[in-house]
Amino acid sequence: MLSIPQRADAVLEVNLAAIQANFKTVSVMVGPHVRVAAVVKNDAYGLGIIEVTRALAAAGCDLFFAGDLHEAMAIRSSKIGATVAVLCDQFTTLRKYYRSSRITPVVNNPSELDAISAAGEPETYFLNVETGFSRFGLTSDDVRRHYLSGTFKRHPPSVVLSHLACSNRVADAMNVLQSNRFRAISNLLKPARCSLAASAGVWLGKNFHFDIVRVGSALFGLNNAGIQPNPLLPVVKLQANILDVRNVPKGEAVGYGATFRTVRDSRIAILGIGYKHGLPWACGNKISARFAGYSAPLVGRTSMDSTAIDITDIPEAVCLPTVSVELLGESFTVNDLAAAADAYAPEVLMRVAAGCARRYLNVPSALIVKSQ
């Protein structure tokens, strides 16, 4: 059978140096006494868990939170000498793998805590407590019951953590409520270290930092808290190739639903990217592509594997098939695309990362050099 090379019409460039720079930005913000942990769940938000963790370890990160045991073991196999914790997996049934690979479980419910207590031997674990998110974690009643039974005296957690529900809204009263609940539990258990804030929570101030901040989306350039000016560097650049150029007469429709009609004789370029690559269907007629110093609006609805741009005002010499155009980069970020499509930025990033070929850049760009 012939081996046919796989065509990559849509490519996502991942700038590992920008991820390192964002890690350092957060580290400076929280100060030398707060540990910055990297949340690399779901394949590091789709950007590649091995490549990302190696880059972050080289930048000084020594604590990683994986989404499940498989991801944690992948980090271990890459020979990174750091603490690796699993946010949520089947600890009670997979316990031997945690131990053999030196992976720290995050205990999320009483049955997992009971399993540790029943073992009767020392075991390192992090304890997740529920303070108002209603997803995972021991409730205050669970904590109190196990405290009175002596569980935490016999088997103290090395870290107590919780998760903020509204950290992207600085003035939301939920932040103070959850912080107060977290402090009450922490004061009772007196763990070695406490962790409440994730990415957006970093900007709530030092009262939310405690001993560890768990940063995911911010490392990957996502400004979910809407901080201005944005201190984070963009991490990804999305590029797609021109597959074809078509002359479309005035008044003709472009794409499904005829949501765009030409108002003049036009030249339309077809790009090799669509919603199968993660480009949101809703961004049709709303954003532009950039190349050769020009901007070309997306016209018509995004198709499964192609998208149209209007290149009428761009010289024909730079609009040839195989030419690459930029859809995401320094001037138009994942947050911008999410806003245009009325979507959630981490979801957009993960869909694009899953749908496109990835290319890694290790050399700092001019922007990164400038920011240092």
Side-chain angles (χ1 to χ4, degrees):
M1 181 180 292
L2 292 175
S3 177
I4 302 174
Q6 186 173 2
R7 194 176 75 182
D9 292 320
V11 176
L12 188 72
E13 287 188 349
V14 181
N15 192 324
L16 297 174
I19 295 175
Q20 293 174 322
N22 290 335
F23 172 78
K24 292 175 182 177
T25 294
V26 175
S27 298
V28 170
M29 284 190 62
V30 299
H33 302 298
V34 178
R35 194 176 184 183
V36 178
V39 178
V40 291
K41 63 181 180 179
N42 296 305
D43 197 27
Y45 286 53
L47 300 184
I49 194 167
I50 299 301
E51 294 84 356
V52 168
T53 51
R54 283 176 174 168
L56 286 168
C61 184
D62 61 359
L63 173 56
F64 295 91
F65 283 89
D68 57 34
L69 187 59
H70 289 286
E71 290 188 336
M73 293 181 74
I75 296 173
R76 274 281 171 262
S77 69
S78 66
K79 311 300 182 184
I80 292 175
T83 300
V84 181
V86 172
L87 288 166
C88 185
D89 207 342
Q90 304 172 57
F91 170 66
T92 54
T93 57
L94 300 174
R95 189 172 184 175
K96 63 180 181 180
Y97 299 104
Y98 281 84
R99 285 194 168 189
S100 63
S101 298
R102 297 176 293 108
I103 294 167
T104 303
V106 175
V107 167
N108 289 292
N109 55 60
S111 64
E112 292 178 343
L113 184 59
D114 290 339
I116 287 178
S117 182
E121 55 189 271
E123 185 158 358
T124 300
Y125 72 98
F126 296 170
L127 181 70
N128 186 18
V129 295
E130 160 58 29
T131 59
F133 199 87
S134 300
R135 183 175 62 181
F136 298 115
L138 275 71
T139 66
S140 56
D141 288 341
D142 294 330
V143 171
R144 190 177 301 108
R145 183 171 64 254
H146 282 85
Y147 176 81
L148 293 175
S149 70
T151 298
F152 297 119
K153 186 175 183 179
R154 295 188 299 271
H155 304 281
S158 57
V159 176
V160 170
L161 60 90
S162 190
H163 193 66
L164 294 168
C166 303
S167 57
N168 61 320
R169 301 195 295 267
V170 175
D172 199 301
M174 274 294 293
N175 295 321
V176 175
L177 173 64
Q178 286 193 259
S179 178
N180 290 339
R181 288 174 173 174
F182 184 69
R183 288 181 186 277
I185 294 174
S186 299
N187 289 338
L188 178 67
L189 299 184
K190 295 180 172 58
R193 290 167 293 175
C194 298
S195 178
L196 178 60
S199 287
V202 168
W203 281 274
L204 293 176
K206 63 180 180 180
N207 288 336
F208 289 84
H209 293 165
F210 291 90
D211 305 297
I212 301 170
V213 293
R214 310 181 310 276
V215 185
S217 58
L219 294 177
F220 310 124
L222 304 183
N223 184 15
N224 293 339
I227 303 300
Q228 296 299 330
N230 184 3
L232 303 171
L233 295 176
V235 166
V236 298
K237 179 183 292 185
L238 177 61
Q239 298 174 313
N241 290 337
I242 294 177
L243 302 183
D244 191 15
V245 175
R246 309 184 66 81
N247 294 314
V248 180
K250 177 182 177 180
E252 290 296 318
V254 176
Y256 286 113
T259 61
F260 176 84
R261 288 185 179 275
T262 56
V263 296
R264 56 182 174 171
D265 291 344
S266 302
R267 286 187 300 115
I268 303 297
I270 309 302
L271 305 181
I273 186 170
Y275 56 77
K276 86 166 187 178
H277 301 94
L279 188 66
W281 182 83
C283 74
N285 300 308
K286 294 180 180 177
I287 69 172
S288 296
R290 292 154 298 282
F291 64 107
Y294 297 93
S295 178
L298 270 66
V299 293
R301 287 178 175 165
T302 299
S303 298
M304 182 182 292
D305 51 11
S306 64
T307 298
I309 59 174
D310 188 339
I311 57 171
T312 308
D313 296 323
I314 301 176
E316 293 186 28
V318 298
C319 301
L320 303 175
T322 73
V323 166
S324 182
V325 307
E326 180 180 293
L327 293 156
L328 291 174
E330 294 175 2
S331 62
F332 191 81
T333 67
V334 175
N335 283 100
D336 296 324
L337 177 58
D342 192 23
Y344 184 49
E347 178 185 1
V348 170
L349 176 62
M350 291 188 64
R351 289 184 182 277
V352 170
C356 298
R358 290 197 302 250
R359 179 187 301 138
Y360 291 97
L361 303 179
N362 295 283
V363 179
S365 68
L367 178 60
I368 296 173
V369 172
K370 182 180 178 180
S371 72
Q372 292 178 337

